[in-house]
Amino acid sequence: MLPVLVPIAALLLSDALLLVGHGLLLTMLPIAAANAGFSDTQVALTGSAYFLGFVSGCLIAPFAVRRVGHIRSFAVLATSYSALVLIFPMLPAFVGWLLLRFLVGAAISGLYMIIESWLNERATGENRGTLLSVYTVINLLMITVGQQMMNLVLPDPFYIFALAAVLLSLAIIPVSLTLALAPAPLQNVKISLRRVWHLSHIGLVGAVASGLVTGAFWSLGPLFAKTQGLDTFQLTIFMSATVFGGAVFQLPLGRLSDHVDRRVVVAAAALGGALVSVLMVVLPTMLPEQGAWLLCVLAFFWGGTVMTQYAICLAHANDSAEPDEFVMVGSAMLLTLGFCSAIGAPMASLTMRYLGASGLFAFSASCLLITFLIIMVRRHMHELPVEIDVEPFRAAADTTTPTVFEMDPRTQEDEDSIETDSALDRSDQ
């Protein structure tokens, strides 16, 4: 393990610092928006702007990297992100925050893409799976650490923004000082939603549902927790429990989907997520004394059932794809997730307008229940071939870019097999 990580230690350190600052902002910005007087709908729209910026960054970042290289692009984007963070408290206006959150989404997307392409360049056929796992674990842990930094007792809320900006600025140092060679330029990926729909109806439906629900949660979850009476410490536990639940349940559910029809696993997770969502609406009112900590426990299981669905849907889509289509399929699924995340937040805010804060999880329950019914109907109408080749489950986070799919060891195996076949064809001639 150590020989694999030492050459990219500087990159992983930059990634860790970046994700701590970013994790802090994910939880803080919705609360800060509400404190600035934004309505629930306006808070949701700022979240939508972030996800639209993220998708835009996935499409634009390769051109910037191709022009000035990975290290300079990383420094520019991280510095820009740091500067944008400091502008938020200086510009407490809705239109200004829409623009700022869009730019933040584009910046973090570009930074993710640079890190992932760098890791992919350093990966070999023997360590790709290890690097992808380490990268995913670092992302989840550092986002959780960042969320917990909300509990720091500081004299002024502005210091939270300043702390996030400091962490983002420090992330520039390890990458800038590394002696490792920068990777080759990024390549654009052709995306075909029609092809992905043909490969897996359920995969694309699952990406849509996951985007709607998780986009609403990341944009409005902190606001929900605050409205339910959770203090800052309980609020950060609530958000971290969701991330931790997704991390704990993802691999067991993924491995289960290798042996059982993946559609059944996704349907069960969707139904479970709908039930937990209903409990999050009902139980706090029935048990007000235990409401805060009960919500944190339910958040763990909500994350375990909801945050895990996207990766299994992606695996289902890849089951029917050719190995050379893995990157295209992953990119199409991820961009679908991003667009739907942008739509989910304002849709959830409408239910919150009529049902109060609990409308967030009423919206979640509705989306997940509809997903469950679609999967069961589709499964009844379409039986899988008896001898379908099931690709081994690979964990995939939704906070990433299309570049990470190039790190899938199966993609490298396919490239090696193509080179071998070509060599054999030349020898036959």
Side-chain angles (χ1 to χ4, degrees), residues 24-25 28 85 149-154 156-166:
L24 175 57
L25 289 169
M28 178 181 63
V85 169
M149 292 184 76
M150 280 281 291
N151 294 309
L152 294 175
V153 179
L154 297 171
D156 191 298
F158 178 79
Y159 283 85
I160 295 288
F161 286 95
L163 177 59
V166 168

Side-chain angles (χ1 to χ4, degrees), residues 127-408:
N127 64 22
R128 283 177 182 272
T130 300
L131 285 181
L132 184 58
S133 299
V134 169
Y135 174 66
T136 301
V137 169
I138 288 175
N139 283 6
L140 293 173
L141 287 177
M142 292 304 105
I143 287 176
T144 302
V145 170
Q147 291 172 333
Q148 293 305 311
M149 292 184 76
M150 280 281 291
N151 294 309
L152 294 175
V153 179
L154 297 171
D156 191 298
F158 178 79
Y159 283 85
I160 295 288
F161 286 95
L163 177 59
V166 168
L167 290 166
L168 295 169
S169 298
L170 290 175
I172 303 171
I173 297 174
V175 163
S176 299
L177 294 180
T178 183
L179 298 176
L181 295 176
L186 292 169
Q187 301 297 321
N188 290 328
V189 178
K190 182 180 179 181
I191 296 174
S192 174
L193 290 176
R194 178 179 297 180
R195 173 61 178 162
V196 176
W197 177 254
H198 175 74
L199 291 172
S200 173
H201 288 48
I202 297 304
L204 210 55
V205 168
V208 170
S210 294
L212 292 174
V213 174
T214 59
F217 175 80
W218 285 118
S219 299
L220 298 167
L223 191 59
F224 164 83
K226 182 182 179 183
T227 306
Q228 292 296 312
L230 276 66
D231 58 31
T232 301
F233 177 71
Q234 292 168 332
L235 185 151
T236 58
I237 294 297
F238 173 80
M239 297 299 294
S240 296
T242 307
V243 177
F244 186 62
V248 169
F249 280 87
Q250 185 172 76
L251 195 57
L253 288 178
R255 295 292 187 235
L256 177 64
S257 73
D258 285 341
H259 304 287
V260 180
D261 187 344
R262 295 200 205 275
R263 297 173 299 178
V264 173
V265 178
V266 176
L271 182 59
L275 292 175
V276 176
S277 297
V278 171
L279 291 177
M280 294 186 82
V281 173
V282 175
L283 285 186
T285 59
M286 297 175 60
L287 303 170
E289 294 183 359
Q290 295 82 24
W293 293 110
L294 182 61
L295 281 175
C296 294
V297 173
L298 290 174
F300 173 80
F301 291 102
W302 190 87
T305 53
V306 175
M307 298 292 185
T308 53
Q309 292 178 38
Y310 169 73
I312 302 173
C313 291
L314 176 61
H316 184 267
N318 279 332
D319 286 339
S320 302
E322 298 296 328
D324 61 355
E325 293 179 314
F326 287 161
V327 175
M328 183 277 294
V329 170
S331 301
M333 291 278 286
L334 188 61
L335 293 181
T336 299
L337 182 85
F339 277 117
C340 292
S341 296
I343 299 171
M347 290 177 64
S349 71
L350 293 177
T351 62
M352 293 176 71
R353 177 181 299 177
Y354 296 104
L355 300 179
S358 61
L360 172 62
F361 287 97
F363 170 78
S364 171
S366 301
C367 292
L368 294 169
L369 184 59
I370 291 171
T371 303
F372 168 77
L373 295 174
I374 290 174
I375 294 173
M376 298 311 295
V377 170
R378 174 66 182 171
R379 185 170 183 268
H380 177 73
M381 295 173 57
H382 179 253
E383 292 293 333
L384 291 176
V386 177
E387 298 182 355
I388 185 172
D389 293 327
V390 177
E391 293 289 342
F393 175 79
R394 302 277 180 181
D398 54 5
T399 52
T400 185
T401 68
T403 307
V404 79
F405 298 113
E406 298 176 11
M407 293 177 64
D408 192 322

Side-chain angles (χ1 to χ4, degrees), residues 2 19-20 38 67 71 86 147 185 247 249 344 347 355 365 367 393 404 418:
L2 207 56
L19 267 295
V20 173
F38 295 1
R67 179 177 177 81
I71 295 177
L86 294 175
Q147 291 172 333
F249 280 87
M347 290 177 64
L355 300 179
C367 292
F393 175 79
V404 79
I418 291 174

Side-chain angles (χ1 to χ4, degrees), residues 109-141:
S109 173
L111 290 164
Y112 274 134
M113 184 168 283
I114 291 168
I115 294 169
E116 290 159 7
S117 65
W118 201 319
L119 289 174
N120 182 56
E121 182 81 6
R122 296 293 173 261
T124 65
E126 293 75 27
N127 64 22
R128 283 177 182 272
T130 300
L131 285 181
L132 184 58
S133 299
V134 169
Y135 174 66
T136 301
V137 169
I138 288 175
N139 283 6
L140 293 173
L141 287 177

